[in-house]
Amino acid sequence: MCGIVGYTGKDLALPIILGALERLEYRGYDSAGVALVEDGKLIIEKKAGKLRELVKALWGKNYKAKTGIGHTRWATHGSPSDENAHPHTDEKVRFAVVHNGIIENYLALKEELIKEGVKFRSDTDTEVIAHLIAKYYEGDLLEAVLKTVNRLEGAFAFAVVTVHEPNRIVGAKKGSPLIVGVGEGENFLASDIPAILPYTKNVIVLDDGEVADLTPESVNVYSFSGEPVTKEVLVTPWDLVSAEKGGFKHFMLKEIHEQPKAVVDTYKGFLSVEPSIPFSLKDFRRVLVIACGTSYHAGLVGKYWMERYAGVPVEVVYASEFRYGHFPVSDKDLVIGISQSGETIDTKFALQSAKEKGAFTVGLVNVVGSAIDRESDYTLYTHAGPEIGVAATKTFTAQLTALYCLAVRESDEKEQLLKRFEKVPALMERTLSSAEEVEKKAEKYMKYKHFLYLGRYLSWPVALEGALKLKEISYIHAEGYPAGEMKHGPIALIDENMPVMVVAPKDRVYEKIVSNVEEVKARKGKVIAVGFEGDGVLTQKSDDFIPVPAVDEPLTPFLTTVPLQLFAYYIASKLGLDVDQPRNLAKTVTVE
Ligand code: F6R
């Protein structure tokens, strides 16, 4: 939530900061702003709305600054307005701050500063940081930041520039992500790696409680108590191509099409670490999977595989529910936290609490160096590359890949099961080659206001995921349900205005779900069915049939997911909606 960036170097800062903000816009997009240090003053430009509003406001202004910071916002404190947009400054506009996170004690700090005569301009929690830095500044920005961070409670990553030291940026991290991009004659601060990819692949991942001090020629990291910290410079495997649209209309469509590669790369990545994985699922009394949103749906699929191949009971829990529930957790439990970003705060805190209770924690993340990666006892990676579209797609099937591999390694038939999996990427390609057929169905159904998504067994989480995709990018109400539960309530909703998407590959529950299709048809419901190619029964019984290649039962989610992603994508795109940046959402949810 919120993207921050900083640049200090040999080139003009503004275009670099705007480009970086574009690649960070997935983190928040209700306002944006920059602060540039130029000719002994701070130039602040900020605008409510998407980044393009800021770009319009900056049109024709040729700022020469070589140091600056930028921000793209997902509002927490204060509505999205020009005033509340970042950067925020002290009263004399000598210090400018961009911030991601929440300062929990900002009201107390604000009162203290108001008593000292400080006048506030915004409703944000962030503004206190700028005033505190100004208050503590005695000629050294780093010193002022160190004094400030020790007054702040909550989660934050921020960057600050000042007119007093024009070629310096100081950034601080506690709870929200912050990385340093190490360049030649230039250095960067950013919330996430895609921001800096055109300039450098050398990255320092800051840990909580660290401050980074940047000039064009140097990067120094300190603890909040001011002790120097030696940091490793990592080389990110991500490249710029993967952070750009590459001819697709939207990132989401590109990322849907990247799934065969994401799946292959994750599979190969898993095989390369498999011999050194330091645990077996069977060593534990129970596996607890903790996740949110799409990652939670991946966990639900993983549960079937882990129970089937490892014979160990698996519980899948929303991270936000786990934290405040009463789950008995002990050293007999394996806790897997699934998170694309590796930064989702609910998942992170839930894993921390499981670890404190003695559980062995495993992160399954897409972002190397993310909080969950660093804090888990062991990390498995998805190798999906950066996912920019706010709706998760390729990371979902990559998560499925890792979970499938983790489960089947417990089976006596491991080799055959892995071998069979190797057909999946090509079958996904084939599924994607019929995207136009799905597009036609989307055209036909785009005007409906409500959808029900049904699936049983492995296809139930797939139905949940399909419904989530539709609602989050098209704003159409879509409910996912286990098909067998339909008769216990949702069947009352069914009429000709409520299309029902039925996920029905030929698996152990196929006959049952065909009966559910009959029940919908008997109530004048419209059925769109996803099933195996050549399925005469579904072709005949449904209003619209979307075929996917036939595949072994355990592997069906890899294929049935794809048309549901495409269906949601095409509906949202045809409705003219902002597919990659749907309203109210942010890609990385770092607030509770
Ligand atoms: C849906 C979506 C969200 C995320 C959720 C968890 O398309 O993207 O539901 O899945 O916010 O995010 P991560 O996986 O980063 O923890």
Side-chain angles (χ1 to χ4, degrees):
M1 325 225 101
C2 300
I4 67 175
V5 62
Y7 174 79
T8 182
K10 52 190 171 2
D11 292 324
L12 295 182
L14 184 59
I16 291 175
I17 291 171
L18 291 177
L21 287 179
E22 201 181 329
R23 286 182 296 281
L24 284 182
E25 212 185 0
Y26 68 87
R27 299 180 64 87
Y29 33 81
D30 57 37
S31 52
V34 293
L36 302 166
V37 193
E38 184 160 312
D39 297 335
K41 42 181 212 304
L42 282 179
I43 293 159
I44 311 285
E45 297 272 6
K46 47 192 201 170
K47 275 271 161 245
K50 298 229 165 174
L51 181 61
R52 59 176 170 265
E53 300 305 322
L54 175 68
V55 172
K56 269 193 236 156
L58 286 164
W59 200 246
K61 298 184 179 169
N62 296 317
Y63 294 123
K64 300 280 176 295
K66 296 189 171 173
T67 296
I69 52 177
H71 189 267
T72 176
R73 179 167 187 244
W74 188 88
T76 55
H77 290 70
S79 59
S81 64
D82 289 358
E83 293 70 41
N84 289 335
H86 298 215
H88 291 283
T89 68
D90 65 313
E91 280 179 289
K92 293 187 184 149
V93 195
R94 295 166 307 160
F95 300 88
V97 173
V98 287
H99 164 225
N100 168 29
I102 294 178
I103 306 301
E104 283 166 6
N105 60 337
Y106 88 100
L107 276 176
L109 292 169
K110 192 169 176 172
E111 270 170 34
E112 171 189 314
L113 288 159
I114 287 172
K115 274 194 198 130
E116 291 170 12
V118 173
K119 292 204 172 45
F120 278 74
R121 294 192 192 93
S122 75
D123 309 322
T124 65
D125 51 340
T126 304
E127 200 180 331
V128 296
I129 306 177
H131 294 301
L132 283 175
I133 293 173
K135 168 173 157 171
Y136 292 129
Y137 188 76
E138 290 175 350
D140 182 348
L141 187 59
L142 176 67
E143 287 300 322
V145 168
L146 289 173
K147 284 188 182 137
T148 300
V149 289
N150 288 303
R151 303 279 332 267
L152 303 177
E153 287 166 20
F156 54 83
F158 69 80
V160 53
V161 287
T162 175
V163 289
H164 300 303
E165 299 174 68
N167 299 318
R168 193 176 191 187
I169 304 178
V170 177
K173 168 180 159 56
K174 185 183 152 214
S176 304
L178 192 61
I179 57 133
V180 177
V182 183
E184 283 180 16
E186 57 184 2
N187 288 308
F188 306 79
L189 271 176
S191 298
D192 202 355
I193 294 169
I196 56 155
L197 281 177
Y199 307 102
T200 180
K201 293 182 117 198
N202 297 329
V203 173
I204 295 172
V205 181
L206 295 180
D207 283 298
D208 284 346
E210 289 179 349
V211 171
D213 183 5
L214 276 62
T215 68
E217 302 299 338
S218 65
V219 175
N220 291 299
V221 178
Y222 302 89
S223 67
F224 279 5
S225 54
E227 296 298 315
V229 181
T230 308
K231 301 289 290 185
E232 197 188 340
V233 180
L234 309 170
V235 180
T236 172
W238 290 2
D239 58 22
L240 184 59
V241 177
S242 52
E244 292 187 330
K245 281 188 203 148
F248 286 91
K249 189 173 168 202
H250 293 104
F251 278 111
M252 181 179 177
L253 188 59
K254 174 177 174 247
E255 288 160 1
I256 290 173
H257 281 268
E258 282 173 346
Q259 290 183 104
K261 178 167 169 18
V263 161
V264 169
D265 290 351
T266 302
Y267 176 70
K268 288 188 183 156
F270 186 92
L271 292 191
S272 69
V273 298
E274 199 268 337
S276 57
I277 294 178
F279 61 89
S280 158
L281 299 177
K282 289 177 182 156
D283 295 341
F284 296 90
R285 167 187 76 167
R286 173 181 64 162
V287 175
L288 253 176
V289 178
I290 294 177
C292 305
T294 290
S295 298
Y296 171 82
H297 298 153
L300 288 177
V301 179
K303 170 183 162 75
Y304 289 96
W305 290 327
M306 289 188 267
E307 290 184 338
R308 178 168 180 170
Y309 297 118
V312 59
V314 180
E315 258 182 83
V316 190
V317 189
Y318 282 119
S320 50
E321 289 300 313
F322 177 84
R323 282 195 70 196
Y324 301 103
H326 308 280
F327 292 85
V329 176
S330 74
D331 57 1
K332 297 192 174 56
D333 294 307
L334 175 74
V335 178
I336 305 178
I338 308 178
S339 175
Q340 176 283 128
S341 61
E343 297 287 348
T344 299
I345 205 140
D346 285 323
T347 312
K348 186 175 106 163
F349 284 151
L351 276 180
Q352 279 171 0
S353 104
K355 194 171 176 171
E356 279 158 21
K357 290 175 182 157
F360 186 79
T361 55
V362 176
L364 173 55
V365 305
N366 195 46
V367 181
V368 177
S370 55
I372 292 174
D373 177 11
R374 283 173 291 137
E375 291 174 16
S376 303
D377 292 313
Y378 184 79
T379 307
L380 285 168
Y381 298 100
T382 49
H383 298 271
E387 188 174 67
I388 310 288
V390 163
T393 52
K394 62 177 178 173
T395 53
F396 175 67
T397 42
Q399 287 166 345
L400 294 186
T401 306
L403 290 168
Y404 177 82
C405 293
L406 188 66
V408 303
R409 86 188 262 268
E410 306 284 338
S411 163
D412 296 339
E413 295 175 349
K414 170 181 147 186
E415 300 306 328
Q416 298 95 296
L417 290 164
L418 289 174
K419 196 94 221 120
R420 281 190 218 150
F421 176 83
E422 288 174 8
K423 287 186 279 179
V424 164
L427 295 176
M428 286 178 108
E429 287 288 5
R430 234 174 81 199
T431 313
L432 286 162
S433 68
S434 327
E436 273 180 26
E437 290 307 307
V438 183
E439 186 175 359
K440 285 184 200 145
K441 314 277 189 248
E443 180 113 47
K444 180 169 167 189
Y445 286 96
M446 63 189 266
K447 293 275 156 29
Y448 286 89
K449 299 281 174 256
H450 306 274
F451 282 78
L452 190 60
Y453 278 62
L454 298 178
R456 297 178 88 118
Y457 184 57
L458 283 164
S459 300
W460 166 49
V462 173
L464 294 179
E465 176 59 9
L468 178 62
K469 290 296 87 118
L470 186 65
K471 69 186 128 193
E472 69 183 327
I473 59 169
S474 72
Y475 320 141
I476 293 171
H477 169 229
E479 211 170 325
Y481 233 80
E485 278 291 299
M486 182 180 68
K487 54 190 172 297
H488 299 287
I491 199 164
L493 292 168
I494 297 207
D495 63 15
E496 62 278 21
N497 298 316
M498 176 103 168
V500 182
M501 176 72 81
V502 181
V503 188
K506 282 208 171 137
D507 57 12
R508 67 189 58 201
V509 290
Y510 174 75
E511 303 298 338
K512 305 275 175 216
I513 202 156
V514 170
S515 307
N516 299 136
V517 170
E518 303 270 18
E519 288 156 14
V520 173
K521 289 307 302 169
R523 284 153 187 89
K524 298 206 178 66
K526 291 198 164 54
V527 171
I528 316 158
V530 175
F532 284 167
E533 283 165 351
D535 186 328
V537 175
L538 281 182
T539 311
Q540 187 241 319
K541 290 191 193 294
S542 57
D543 297 85
D544 283 281
F545 178 59
I546 303 178
V548 297
V551 69
D552 293 341
E553 175 184 285
L555 300 170
T556 53
F558 290 98
L559 302 186
T560 50
T561 295
V562 174
L564 302 191
Q565 295 168 336
L566 288 167
F567 186 73
Y569 169 76
Y570 283 119
I571 288 191
S573 175
K574 283 173 192 301
L575 289 172
L577 297 169
D578 194 341
V579 172
D580 285 332
Q581 294 172 354
R583 70 184 181 203
N584 305 340
L585 292 175
K587 181 105 190 129
T588 309
V589 184
T590 49
V591 292
E592 278 188 76

